[in-house]
């Protein structure tokens, strides 16, 4: 086999075809790499790979057309067939020679993501996964070309047939959808030669073992058929022709059955075993919160997907598959709207989009419209909409909790003291957490409502009345839970302070000035407090900052006070201090009368009662839960808000999963670098290959 491999490899480089194939492949790879990744700054190399794939329909037939057809035409195949080497070794030697030629541009392509990394952040896992997909698709295409070449003596016929077969494999998803939008036996059979879908699955950023098995098994099967094709001709004049043909047919049937069984087995395995999420945002993975919630489910839930399964959104489909694999209590069913257009009317009077979900339990149901699965932003200057995030997991986990909950907890937000109102992003997060919320003025109530799961006092700009403070204190004495967000107002707030004193805390005068540069952003007033591991900071600790501008310092009177438990989960550094005289300050240097730190910025206080306990979470930054602060830390402030509310309403696991961002940080490539690198990848490398091929061809011609 090694001798045949060397012979074929040399012949391709001597005949100019091998270097021509390399040059053409490098030209198109370089062209799309320059356009997409260098000039437009896209950090995803998969864009370039997906654009080049059509090349195989043209270049592979030219590369493979002579590999066996020429041997037949010139009768030199008789020498090979009578040589002391098996037919399988002959086929593998020729095939590996072609793969080696294809491997050269593939290895050069591996350098391109490294070049991109010099100009910005590049998701390397996705980049090299796309190169793997490129190699597997190309290898399978080469195997198909070798097989077609074994069937004929004409190189032209071999090239045309190879093009036709590869074109059908590339277009098979569209062909199947034309034959039947709902799918039938014919489309399932044709789908066995759908080469594009497994390739596209790998480009999505998931190391899909099923796709890899498909390409490897397809390549092996086609090479086996090539061997059988040659074997049949080898024994065509044999007296044992009839018996061998029967044996050959049986072997072909067995090989097809083995390949089909292997792909079916892989297809039936849980996606957690066969799909590894390599995306930078872990778009297809389920978070630990979801896994814990689903694993604790005790009741059955059915998720109806309003779409034909063959036409589903691939990203959403992968997410649903992971839910289905995670628990026997979850069943995913696809409802074809062309077959059953009125199905959704059992659950909603509104019109819903294709790919929408209906989550149903014995208690209630929730409809998730497809438009809510993806987050978008609208550019009014260009009147274009851009998809910025994927919220499939967030919507589905929230819906599961909603349909399984016996009662939805109620949260009240106080008003009447100049409190900050929550923006839509924060109220939407409460909805996803399946928490009902309502604003109340305590003056209208004799006591805090009995159905209050949690009371939120969000940044009052004026002091609570003594009566309101008494109502809140009474609520705490009955085992209530309060989230107090407070901030600097420049005026005394004795009733707020009395509420804090009940829980053994106080607020230091003035504003915190952070002297350690690791704990602030640009200004010593713009705190990035130290985040400790706690339920409040779940998903934040070790991953994100919290942005707390213009914070005050929380002081604890006695951390060892009887019946009191304190947890400081946001804190300043040891070098922080509180600037008391804000009005007359000239710089950030500490003055006489300023208060030494460190301070708490987020503190939980739990007071043991005769029956139960009172709980208060205090945040000393009244801008903490605003969009302006939240956007500075990629949504971490909102995540902490949801963790706090979720814990206070007895959600053991937060069901409000943040949206997974689709926004990319574009590569910053200056024009001169883009042009220079583009010239090298698009012109210099391909032309160099062509020049080398021409020199080799010309020297051989002169001989």
């Amino acid at each position: 086999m090694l001798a045949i491999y060397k012979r074929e490899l040399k012949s391709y480089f001597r005949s100019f075809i091998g270097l021509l194939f390399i040059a053409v492949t490098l030209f198109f790879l370089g062209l799309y790499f320059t356009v997409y990744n260098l000039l437009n700054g896209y950090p995803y190399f998969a864009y370039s790979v997906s654009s080049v794939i059509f090349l195989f329909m043209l270049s592979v037939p030219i590369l493979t057309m002579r590999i066996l057809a020429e041997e037949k035409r010139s009768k030199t195949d008789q020498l090979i067939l009578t040589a002391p080497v098996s037919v399988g070794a002959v086929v593998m030697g020729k095939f590996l020679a072609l793969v080696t030629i294809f491997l050269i541009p593939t290895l050069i392509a591996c350098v391109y993501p490294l070049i991109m990394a010099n100009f910005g952040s590049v998701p390397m896992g996705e980049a090299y996964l796309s190169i793997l997909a490129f190699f597997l698709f190309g290898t399978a295409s080469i195997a198909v070309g070798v097989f077609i070449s074994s069937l004929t003596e004409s190189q032209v016929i071999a090239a045309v047939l190879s093009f036709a077969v590869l074109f059908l494999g590339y277009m098979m998803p569209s062909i199947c959808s034309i034959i039947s939008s709902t799918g039938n036996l014919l489309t399932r059979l044709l789908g066995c030669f759908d080469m594009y879908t497994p390739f596209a699955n790998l480009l999505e950023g998931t190391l899909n073992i099923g796709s890899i098995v498909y390409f490897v098994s397809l390549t092996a099967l086609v090479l086996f058929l090539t061997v059988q094709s040659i074997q049949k001709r080898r024994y065509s004049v044999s007296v044992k022709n009839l018996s061998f043909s029967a044996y050959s047919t049986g072997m072909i049937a067995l090989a097809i059955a083995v390949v089909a069984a292997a792909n079916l087995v892989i297809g039936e395995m849980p996606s957690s075993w066969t799909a590894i999420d390599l995306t930078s945002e872990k778009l297809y993975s389920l978070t630990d919160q979801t896994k814990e919630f689903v694993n604790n489910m005790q009741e059955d839930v059915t998720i109806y997907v309003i779409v034909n399964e063959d036409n589903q959104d691939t990203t959403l489909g992968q997410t649903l598959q992971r839910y289905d694999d995670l628990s026997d209590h979850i069943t995913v069913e696809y409802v074809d709207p062309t077959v059953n257009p009125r199905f959704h009317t059992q659950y909603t009077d509104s019109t819903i989009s294709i790919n929408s979900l209906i989550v149903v339990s014995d208690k209630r149901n929730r409809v998730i419209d497809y438009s809510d699965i993806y987050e978008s932003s609208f550019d009014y200057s260009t009147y274009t909409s851009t998809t910025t995030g994927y919220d499939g997991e967030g919507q589905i986990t929230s819906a599961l909790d909603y349909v399984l909950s016996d009662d939805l907890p109620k949260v009240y937000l106080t008003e009447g003291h100049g409190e900050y109102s929550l923006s839509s992003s924060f109220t939407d997060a409460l909805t996803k957490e399946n928490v009902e919320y309502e604003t109340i003025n305590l003056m209208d109530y004799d006591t805090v409502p009995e159905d209050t799961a949690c009371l939120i006092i969000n940044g009052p700009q004026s002091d609570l009345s003594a009566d309101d403070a008494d109502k809140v204190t009474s609520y705490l004495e009955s085992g209530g839970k309060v989230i107090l967000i407070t901030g600097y107002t420049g005026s005394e707030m004795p009733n707020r302070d009395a509420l804090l004193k009940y829980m053994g805390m106080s607020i230091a005068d003035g504003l915190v000035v952070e002297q350690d540069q690791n704990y602030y952003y640009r200004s010593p007033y713009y705190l990035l407090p130290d985040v400790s591991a706690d339920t409040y900071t779940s998903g934040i600790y070790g991953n994100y900052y919290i942005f707390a501008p213009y914070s005050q310092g929380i002081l604890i009177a006695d951390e060892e006070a009887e019946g009191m438990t304190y947890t400081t989960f946001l804190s300043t550094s040891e070098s922080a201090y509180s600037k008391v005289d804000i009005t007359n300050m000239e710089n950030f240097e500490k003055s006489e009368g300023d208060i030494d730190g460190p301070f708490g910025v987020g503190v939980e206080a739990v007071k043991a009662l005769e029956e139960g306990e009172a709980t208060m979470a205090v945040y000393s930054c009244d801008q903490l839960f605003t969009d302006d602060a939240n956007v500075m830390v990629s949504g971490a402030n909102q995540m902490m808000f949801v963790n706090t509310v979720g814990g206070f309403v007895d959600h053991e696991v937060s069901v409000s999963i943040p949206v997974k961002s689709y926004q990319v940080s574009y590569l910053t490539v200056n024009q001169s670098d883009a042009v220079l690198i583009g010239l090298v990848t698009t012109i210099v490398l391909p032309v160099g290959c062509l020049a080398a091929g021409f020199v080799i061809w010309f020297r051989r011609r002169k001989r």
Side-chain angles (χ1 to χ4, degrees), residues 614-674:
T615 307
M616 178 184 285
V618 182
Y619 294 99
S620 60
C621 171
D622 55 10
Q623 299 181 38
L624 188 65
F625 299 132
T626 62
D627 286 340
D628 289 340
N630 187 52
V631 74
M632 297 294 294
V633 284
S634 303
N637 285 17
Q638 180 180 303
M639 196 183 308
M640 187 169 63
F641 174 75
V642 171
N643 288 343
T644 306
V645 175
F648 273 35
V649 300
D650 295 328
H651 278 175
E652 295 182 3
V653 180
S654 173
V655 295
S656 182
I657 311 299
V659 178
K660 297 177 180 180
S661 177
Y662 266 172
Q663 292 181 305
V664 297
S665 299
Y666 287 90
L667 304 179
T668 305
V669 188
N670 62 54
Q671 193 69 17
S672 59
D673 286 342

Side-chain angles (χ1 to χ4, degrees), residues 99-345:
V99 171
T100 301
I101 295 170
F102 174 54
L103 189 61
I104 293 173
T106 303
L107 292 176
I108 293 174
C110 291
V111 179
Y112 293 172
L114 300 178
I115 296 174
M116 293 161 56
N118 291 304
F119 303 103
S121 178
V122 178
M124 289 296 184
E126 297 176 56
Y128 285 103
L129 183 60
S130 67
I131 294 175
L132 174 63
F134 176 77
F135 179 73
L136 290 172
F137 191 102
T139 302
S141 299
I142 289 172
V144 170
V146 171
F147 172 62
I148 299 297
S149 182
S150 72
L151 301 177
T152 178
E153 295 181 357
S154 171
Q155 294 186 40
V156 175
I157 294 175
V160 171
L161 288 177
S162 296
F163 168 80
V165 173
L166 293 177
F167 180 78
L168 288 174
Y170 181 83
M171 295 298 297
M172 193 56 69
S174 300
I175 294 171
C176 290
S177 64
I178 292 173
I179 293 173
S180 173
S181 61
T182 60
N184 53 36
L185 179 60
L186 178 59
T187 58
R188 284 193 287 272
L189 291 174
L190 291 175
C192 295
F193 195 63
D194 175 6
M195 297 177 65
Y196 182 76
T197 299
F199 169 75
N201 289 340
L202 292 172
L203 290 190
E204 292 285 340
T206 303
L207 181 57
N208 193 303
I209 305 301
S211 295
I212 295 174
V213 169
Y214 174 82
F215 281 120
V216 172
S217 62
L218 176 63
T219 301
L221 176 62
V222 172
L223 292 176
F224 175 78
L225 294 177
T226 304
V227 172
Q228 292 299 309
S229 172
I230 298 173
Q231 286 277 32
K232 188 171 184 180
R233 183 166 181 267
R234 184 179 188 179
Y235 288 91
S236 60
V237 295
S238 171
V239 294
K240 298 180 181 179
N241 180 52
L242 183 60
S243 61
F244 184 82
S245 294
Y247 170 76
S248 176
T249 303
M251 288 296 292
I252 291 172
L254 178 61
I256 294 174
V258 169
V259 168
N263 283 273
L264 285 173
V265 169
I266 291 294
E268 292 299 318
M269 288 184 177
S271 58
S272 57
W273 298 2
T274 62
I276 302 172
D277 188 356
L278 296 181
T279 60
S280 55
E281 290 292 328
K282 298 301 178 184
L283 293 174
Y284 310 109
S285 301
L286 299 182
T287 60
D288 291 339
Q289 294 101 309
T290 291
K291 291 177 181 178
E292 185 177 350
F293 174 82
V294 172
N295 288 331
N296 290 331
M297 285 176 54
Q298 300 296 323
E299 301 173 60
D300 294 338
V301 174
T302 302
I303 303 176
Y304 295 103
V305 191
I306 311 303
V307 69
N308 177 270
E309 187 171 2
D310 294 334
N311 300 325
Q312 66 176 311
D313 178 292
T314 55
T315 302
L316 181 57
Q318 290 192 48
T319 301
L320 289 168
Q321 184 62 52
R322 280 170 166 75
Y323 277 95
D324 197 11
D325 294 338
L326 197 58
S327 173
D328 293 335
H329 290 292
I330 296 178
T331 303
V332 178
E333 295 185 12
Y334 289 84
V335 179
D336 191 336
T338 60
V339 176
N340 193 350
R342 303 287 297 170
F343 178 82
H344 68 281
T345 59

